[in-house]
Amino acid sequence: VEAFTALVDEKLTPLLRVSQYLEEKSYEQRTRASILRAVSFPMSLRVSSTERSAVQKEADARGLGRLPLPEVIARARRIYMQLDSRLQNSLGDFFFGREPTSFDACLFGHLAEAMADVHFVTVVPLYSS
């Protein structure tokens, strides 16, 4: 459970953040717009730029900051494919059998956020499990 949770936290979530914050169109149309609606002016401007800067730093530290978006999506697709394969081989409806674990909840949360991303929404539905 911990290893799979780390996979989502350390691999998938940073890729999603690159799409949300560092791809210009996605950032302007969705991420920044959401922040500007949710946080009152003038703090909304500070929050959006601070968040974007933090994501850029983390992405740079992970070697993701300058990746072209198609490569970001391709990396996420490979991980989703591996997770889908693991779920198909499970002995139940959940990753580790018939009962949900904290990993199932972790992945559900990630997928809910990914489905709201303009780029990841095209990748996630490819997997049927």
Side-chain angles (χ1 to χ4, degrees):
V1 169
E2 288 179 24
F4 279 91
T5 300
L7 178 68
V8 171
D9 292 344
E10 299 298 322
K11 299 293 183 184
L12 281 174
T13 297
L15 293 168
L16 178 58
R17 295 286 178 259
V18 167
S19 177
Q20 292 171 322
Y21 284 88
L22 303 184
E23 196 280 319
E24 198 63 39
K25 185 177 178 183
S26 178
Y27 175 73
E28 287 298 327
Q29 290 181 357
R30 303 289 237 145
T31 307
R32 186 170 185 265
S34 295
I35 292 170
L36 294 178
R37 281 192 306 274
V39 181
S40 61
F41 182 82
M43 284 305 297
S44 57
L45 300 176
R46 176 132 173 104
V47 168
S48 65
S49 65
T50 301
E51 286 290 315
R52 192 174 198 195
S53 178
V55 169
Q56 181 70 62
K57 267 187 190 173
E58 180 184 350
D60 288 344
R62 293 176 181 274
L64 304 173
R66 304 290 178 237
L67 281 182
L69 187 61
E71 177 59 24
V72 170
I73 299 302
R75 288 183 184 196
R77 182 172 290 154
R78 285 191 295 271
I79 296 169
Y80 288 135
M81 196 177 344
Q82 292 168 347
L83 289 172
D84 188 59
S85 176
R86 171 65 172 92
L87 184 56
Q88 286 178 12
N89 292 322
S90 175
L91 297 177
D93 292 334
F94 300 97
F95 270 85
F96 299 100
R98 293 182 178 9
E99 298 293 323
T101 65
S102 59
F103 174 69
D104 295 285
C106 169
L107 184 61
F108 179 82
H110 168 80
L111 293 173
E113 188 174 0
M115 292 295 290
D117 180 75
V118 68
H119 303 290
F120 275 59
V121 73
T122 63
V123 176
V124 173
L126 298 176
Y127 306 99
S128 59
S129 298

